[in-house]
Each structure stands twice: as C-alpha cells, then as structure tokens.
C-alpha cells in the first residue's frame, strides 16, 4: 500500500507454538514495514505485526497517523503422528475469521483492534476505508454469504462496528459511492455478477 509519504510492505509467515500432547499451533501472521519516501529518499521507519494475512492493498489505509488493516485470521492445531519410521502432522482443529487492526504509523505499534468479528470460517473478501469509516466484506466462499461490516474508526482505541446484514453472494470490491453509500461488486449465489 502506498500513501502520500510512505509505502507499506507486507511479509506473511507462520508462527508456531508447541502445545501439550505432541500438538503445535500454527497461526498466520503478517509483518508490515513502513518505508518513508518523503524528500526523495527511501528510509525504513519501522515495522509492526498483526495476526492474519492481508489480501491486497485495499485492505490497508493510512489516515490521521493511523494505519488501518483488514486481515484474515488463520490458525490450526496439528498433532504429531508416528507411522512406523515416519513422523507426520495431522490437523486436529482450524479457525478462520476476520480482524481489523489500527497501528500508529510513528512506532508501528497496535493502538486498537477488533479481532475475530465475523462468523467462524469467513475470510476478508474486500475492504474500503474513507475518513473515519471502514467497510469490510467477509464471506465463506463455499456458502456464498455476504456480511458487510461498517466500522466507526474515529477513536482507534475504541472501535465500534455494525453488521449490515447477510446477503447472498459476496463483494470482491467495495467502492465509496458518496453520501454514506458503499457500492459492493462481486458474485451472487450462482456465481453471477452482483452489484448492491
């Protein structure tokens, strides 16, 4: 994502934590590095971390000194399994959900977050930020339902959101339509074009 004075580069990786009973937890995380290009020179300004993966540049936005990031949270527990001379890992549980993070651009530390706000199994499909408002569309692509969440981000330390309801299909793009309207473009329940 590129703002007026900075570019933000993401690096996705998996955090592994050993649990009891020969199990381990694997959680997707993303490192976000801020690079300033003000004054014609590139300068690394710092990096922060969030849990989850960032789909694309529209899932990030910088406003009033805060980087807002929509991410898909993914975690699974694996159990070690011995099969003769070979050792393998078997998945015993998994979790997918959506989260929103607000990071202070000066130190890249999280100042506010709303983790796992969507129904279990849903990914971030699209996001759009405008001023103090953020819209995030989540969906479980298998069932093709489309909750769109509207976030009030005036105070990043106290994020408030509203579920706008479930609609068949999902929006792969959200566009600010002005006067408090957001246009969703995506796929309907039969994978045909949907505009709402």
């Amino acid at each position: 994502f590129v703002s007026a004075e900075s570019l933000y580069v993401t690096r996705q990786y998996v955090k592994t934590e050993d649990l009891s009973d020969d199990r381990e937890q694997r959680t997707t995380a993303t490192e976000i590095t801020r690079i300033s290009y003000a004054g014609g020179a590139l300068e690394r300004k710092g990096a922060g971390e969030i849990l989850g993966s960032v789909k694309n540049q529209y899932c990030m936005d910088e406003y009033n000194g805060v980087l807002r990031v929509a991410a898909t949270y993914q975690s699974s527990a694996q159990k070690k399994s011995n099969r003769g001379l070979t050792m393998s890992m078997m998945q015993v549980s998994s979790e997918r959900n959506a989260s929103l993070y607000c990071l202070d651009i000066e130190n890249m530390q999280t100042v506010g977050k709303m983790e796992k706000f969507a129904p279990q199994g849903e990914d971030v499909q699209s996001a759009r930020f405008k001023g103090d408002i953020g819209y995030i569309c989540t969906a479980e692509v298998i069932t093709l339902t489309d909750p769109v969440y509207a976030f009030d981000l005036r105070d990043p330390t106290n994020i408030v959101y509203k579920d706008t309801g479930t609609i068949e299909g999902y929006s792969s793009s959200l566009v600010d339509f002005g006067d408090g309207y957001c246009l969703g473009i995506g796929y309907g329940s039969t994978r045909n074009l949907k505009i709402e």
Side-chain angles (χ1 to χ4, degrees):
F1 170 72
V2 179
S3 69
E5 296 182 352
S6 300
L7 27 111
Y8 296 90
V9 179
T10 62
R11 178 182 69 87
Q12 183 179 309
Y13 59 99
V14 176
K15 295 176 79 166
T16 303
E17 176 187 356
D18 285 327
L19 305 173
S20 61
D21 301 332
D22 288 331
R23 292 182 305 137
E24 70 180 25
Q25 187 80 28
R26 295 179 180 178
T27 305
T28 302
T30 299
E31 178 185 63
I32 303 172
T33 302
R34 177 178 170 237
I35 300 169
S36 170
Y37 64 90
L42 296 176
E43 181 182 357
R44 184 182 188 276
K45 291 293 191 175
E49 177 191 85
I50 63 167
L51 293 179
S53 58
V54 181
K55 184 172 185 170
N56 56 33
Q57 72 271 23
Y58 301 111
C59 290
M60 295 191 289
D61 181 71
E62 180 189 295
Y63 184 71
N64 285 343
V66 175
L67 178 68
R68 294 97 60 97
V69 183
T72 296
Y73 176 85
Q74 303 165 63
S75 184
S76 64
Q78 314 281 326
K79 185 170 178 62
K80 294 177 185 172
S81 174
N82 285 324
R83 296 179 188 226
L85 298 174
T86 61
M87 174 76 76
S88 63
M89 300 296 283
M90 180 176 73
Q91 183 172 304
V92 293
S93 67
S94 67
E95 184 179 7
R96 293 179 79 81
N97 211 306
S99 298
L100 173 66
Y101 292 90
C102 294
L103 288 76
D104 183 319
I105 66 167
E106 292 304 316
N107 58 24
M108 294 301 288
Q109 297 299 305
T110 299
V111 294
K113 59 186 175 181
M114 180 71 65
E115 293 181 303
K116 303 177 191 175
F117 60 82
Q120 162 63 9
E122 298 206 349
D123 296 353
V124 171
Q125 295 299 318
S126 56
R128 181 67 63 182
F129 297 93
K130 181 173 180 175
D132 292 322
I133 303 295
Y135 298 99
I136 300 174
C137 174
T138 66
E140 184 176 9
V141 179
I142 295 168
T143 58
L144 292 177
T145 58
D146 181 1
V148 175
Y149 299 87
F151 291 86
D152 182 341
L153 300 170
R154 285 177 286 193
D155 180 1
T157 63
N158 184 30
I159 300 170
V160 178
Y161 77 99
K162 175 181 160 184
D163 180 350
T164 61
T166 301
I167 301 166
E168 288 188 10
Y170 66 93
S171 296
S172 57
S173 180
L174 294 173
V175 180
D176 175 44
F177 213 53
D179 295 329
Y181 290 94
C182 187
L183 180 68
I185 303 169
Y187 300 95
S189 59
T190 57
R191 301 209 184 267
N192 53 335
L193 176 66
K194 176 194 76 144
I195 299 174
E196 61 186 17

